[in-house]
Amino acid sequence: MTSAQTSRFQRLAAQYFFGGIGLALLTFVCFRLELGLATTAFAYLVLITLLSLTASFIESATLSVIAVACLDYFFTRPLFDFRVGAPQDAVLMIAFLLTALIVSRLVGSARGQTKALRRSKAHLAEAQRLSRTGSFGWRVSSGEIRWSEEAFRIFQYGQTTKPTVELILQRVHPEDAAWVKQTIERASQDGKYFDFEHRLLMPDGSVKHIHVVAHAERDESGECEFVGAVMDVTATKEAAERIRQNERELRITLETIPTFVVSTLPDGSVDFVSQSWLDYLGRSKEEILGWSWVQIVHPEDLETLLNSWQAALAAGEPLEIETRIRRADGKYRWFLARAVPLCDEKGNIVKWYATTHDIDDRKQAEQKLRQSEAYLSEAQRLSLTGSASWNVASGEIVWSDETFRIFQCDRTTKPTLEFIRQRTHPEDRALVQQTMERASQDGKDIDFEHRLLMPDDSVKYLHAVSHPAFNASGDLVEYVGTVMDVTEHKRVAEVLLKSKNRFKAMVEKSAEGILLVLPDKRIIYASPAVEWVLGYTSEELTMQSLIEHVHPDYRQHATDTWNRLLQDPDYASAAEVMLQHKDGSWRWIESTARNLLHEPSVEAVVVNFRDITERKRAQAERERLEQRLRQAAKMEAVGRLAGGIAHDFNNVLAGIFAYGEMLVEETPAGSPLKRYAQNVLIAATRGRGLVEQILAYSRSQRGKRTPVDIARVFAETLELLRGSLPTDIRLEASVPQRPLVVIGDATQLHQVAMNLCSNAIQAMGGGGTLRVALETTDVSAERALSHGTLAPGRYVRLTVEDSGSGMDEATLSRIFEPFFTTKEVGHGTGLGLALVYAIITDSGGAIDVRSAPKQGSTFTIYGPLAEVTLAAADDTAAAPPRGNGERVLLVDDEASLLAATAEVLVRLGYEPVSFSDSQAALAAFEAAPGRFDVVVADEVMPGLTGTGLASVLRRRRADLPIVLVSGYSGPILTQQALAAGVSELLTKPLQSREIATTLARVLHGAA
């Protein structure tokens, strides 16, 4: 029994079993309830009807017969007997049986139709799924929409979702929503057939293309309902797009390939042509269709092409021919045309497909190749160079025409290894045979020279060069190479060798270096003297670039000179450049160069040079000293001018101080005039400070020459700076705590530090770092700085470094000039650095300055360190001393200043005797030498100067105290004053305290 039969048997057994059980239970219930025959029969009929829903007709009929038996046995008289007592019972059971059979048949038929309908729906649903076509119904009046399962899948809604127009519009692509809505509204109004496509935008962002088709149906009441289909045509759209893309790609391919594509009818008229072909012909597609291609063929090629075309037509075979075709501009180009026929099933040609490939460049190349071969042959003849090939396996040798000429045989001679051996000089035959045998074995390049012995007993020198050729398996096939007649070269080489030996002997003994340089600047020869100058041997310099050894600052100039040398053979260059020695140092070189490339014996640029490093150093030192001398002379001249101006200005300030002090003393306290007078003195004091700077710069004012702790002075200066330092500038200071003693003026040293730091701060307008360091240093040998020279000894070194804007060379050369400034008008006098220079150089020091634009500046100050002990400070101050009526001989040619000084002396308790003429003063003194207790005289006076007057007075009276006053002082005046016997030298302008103190000192000393 098969599995299907077994399954059917099991199903039948189960149905009979459960049907029998149901029938037995129903019989038991009806019997116990003592139901009548009719009621029980109806109950049986219901049961059989229910069983017919799943059982076949035979199964239902069988159960019906069993039911009749049960009725007869249990429910008719007599009971429990199969005999029917009453006729009406028999009729009832027969009616029951017939009814049961009819019902079973009808139920079975209905069940079969239901299964067929369900199977049909399943087939329809599967067909819709496979074809991606859903169905729908839309009742316009109620808006009710019914979808098939595929419609739900297309719109990606669950089948529990109730489809509506709004739900459909939610899925419509935003770009299509407007016209889809319009289409639905129009259909709902006119009730006509609609057919359109649109896109759906799915929840995952994908896009579907659907095709909707529907027609309207109206029922008896006239209501409209649309019944239609919705088809997912996304795949179709994509396939169509791929087809269009393929068509575009094919079209682009046809347009981009260098081959023109054409199809023609059997008579040659064109029915398709690629765009590239149209572009070449300069015609449109409409002009070319139906047009005969014979119109564009070169007249010289037309007959051949037509004959080939007719032959191809007759034979029905492909055609391939080279011909010239006219371009749009009228020019002809060579094309390779290939045509293949398309035949029908009977073998008749229905169309030709042809491609034409532009081979004009190849044709021209072939022409050039033929010309090149002719040129090569001529070049071989002119250069006495023949070509040859030797098949190693067969021994076949092929020569060019020139090779036949070299061996002095005609082309009828068959070249063989034996013939070559016969032509070879007897002394070289072994070498030639050995070389050929070794080449056939190892397959390496051949390059050797040997001699030929010609029939006329002349000797030729040959240079043979050959290269092996191998097949795909790596086996040696043949040698291909050249044979050069170098007989003349040998003769010339011997001559050149003799000339070279003479030249070499001459060059190697020369004291100057000689270089031979190629146009690309590579050195091909360097004489032995080059090693003495640059440290390189001739071998080390060979093939190096000359320009690489030139200093970068001179490289561009050297390149320009070199280019001019190459362009102008008559040009001879002479220059001084720096070349790098092998040890890395730079040497000054004086060179001359001459272009001898046109000279066959040289064929190079000849460079002669000598080392002038020491000469350049001496010259630089001389120029530096001359520059320093000029600078010193200029500074001295400016100093004298500044001193003269300061002298006159001091005379003016002296009167202001005298009368100002008197005005302050005479004016009552709280009076505006007293405030005005005090302001006058303040302004005069500022003017006096300016004069002191000018006098210090002019070296007319040395300042105090006392031991000074420069560390303390600079520490005080830095303390002042910190209080006024901008927030964007950081100060890094290093000042030792121990005393560093120098001889000088503390005020002037303060001015040095303040001026340098102020300039540094102003140079850092955008912020930065100011570094100040004070230290000691030992100088073991004389050292030249940028501004001065240091002798051996111990020095105090002050370094002021900023990160500001820096200075260029032009500014550096003028920074110590008086009144030179780079600041804006009103922001600097130009005397700050000039004063620094004057103070430092006057004290025996020197200055070194380093700066570059945008790299900041560094000022380094050196001053001699003094090995002395500082005196203890005296903080006591006494009141200005007053005189006791001492008579003062007062001499000054300035009347106003004379009157002011006299009045000051009177206020101090002295009796002045004033003279505006030094001669008159001398006459008064000589008249009564003991009349005067002290002399106060101006230095600069017409006729007899103050020192001159002092000398005369000192000779007349040796114990006489003499005070000399001048607005222009300095070392020279100091020496002159001491020599004249002057007791004290004062500098204008004077204040009353200075006069009182000085007179008390000289009078006390005199006593």
Side-chain angles (χ1 to χ4, degrees), residues 706-728:
T706 60
V708 178
D709 180 7
I710 193 172
R712 183 179 62 81
V713 172
F714 286 170
E716 293 174 355
T717 304
L718 293 177
E719 190 63 30
L720 291 175
L721 279 175
R722 286 190 178 95
S724 60
L725 197 66
T727 57
D728 57 354

Side-chain angles (χ1 to χ4, degrees), residues 543-563:
M543 302 313 291
Q544 287 194 23
S545 174
L546 175 61
I547 203 70
E548 292 179 357
H549 294 274
V550 178
H551 193 281
D553 293 345
Y554 299 91
R555 195 165 291 171
Q556 185 59 47
H557 176 71
T559 301
D560 296 340
T561 302
W562 184 264
N563 294 335

Side-chain angles (χ1 to χ4, degrees), residues 26 30 34-46 71 75 92:
L26 182 61
C30 293
E34 297 180 358
L35 298 178
L37 178 62
T39 302
T40 303
F42 179 76
Y44 279 170
L45 183 61
V46 171
L71 288 174
F75 296 98
L92 180 60

Side-chain angles (χ1 to χ4, degrees), residues 767-823:
T769 302
L770 172 62
R771 296 181 178 88
V772 180
L774 184 68
E775 57 190 346
T776 59
T777 183
D778 292 327
V779 178
S780 58
E782 185 180 55
R783 182 185 301 176
L785 305 179
S786 63
H787 296 82
T789 302
L790 294 179
R794 297 200 69 197
Y795 291 86
V796 175
R797 180 171 62 195
L798 170 66
T799 304
V800 178
E801 179 184 355
D802 67 71
S803 58
S805 58
M807 297 175 284
D808 56 20
E809 290 294 335
T811 303
L812 279 173
S813 65
R814 301 187 60 192
I815 56 174
F816 293 118
E817 292 182 8
F819 308 112
F820 172 75
T821 180
T822 58
K823 302 173 185 175

Side-chain angles (χ1 to χ4, degrees), residues 896-915:
S896 59
L897 185 58
L898 181 65
T901 306
E903 190 168 349
V904 170
L905 289 174
V906 171
R907 288 175 173 272
L908 291 174
Y910 296 97
E911 181 183 346
V913 179
S914 304
F915 292 92

Side-chain angles (χ1 to χ4, degrees), residues 82-140:
F82 289 104
R83 290 182 298 111
V84 179
Q88 61 272 20
D89 291 340
V91 172
L92 180 60
M93 286 190 293
I94 293 173
F96 164 77
L97 179 61
L98 292 176
T99 302
L101 292 176
I102 292 171
V103 168
S104 297
R105 187 66 178 176
L106 291 176
V107 170
S109 177
R111 185 166 56 85
Q113 290 177 0
T114 301
K115 286 184 178 179
L117 180 60
R118 188 180 298 112
R119 189 181 307 111
S120 176
K121 287 183 178 181
H123 291 168
L124 177 60
E126 182 65 12
Q128 287 187 354
R129 187 185 66 81
L130 294 175
S131 64
R132 297 180 181 178
T133 302
S135 59
F136 68 91
W138 172 35
R139 183 172 291 276
V140 177

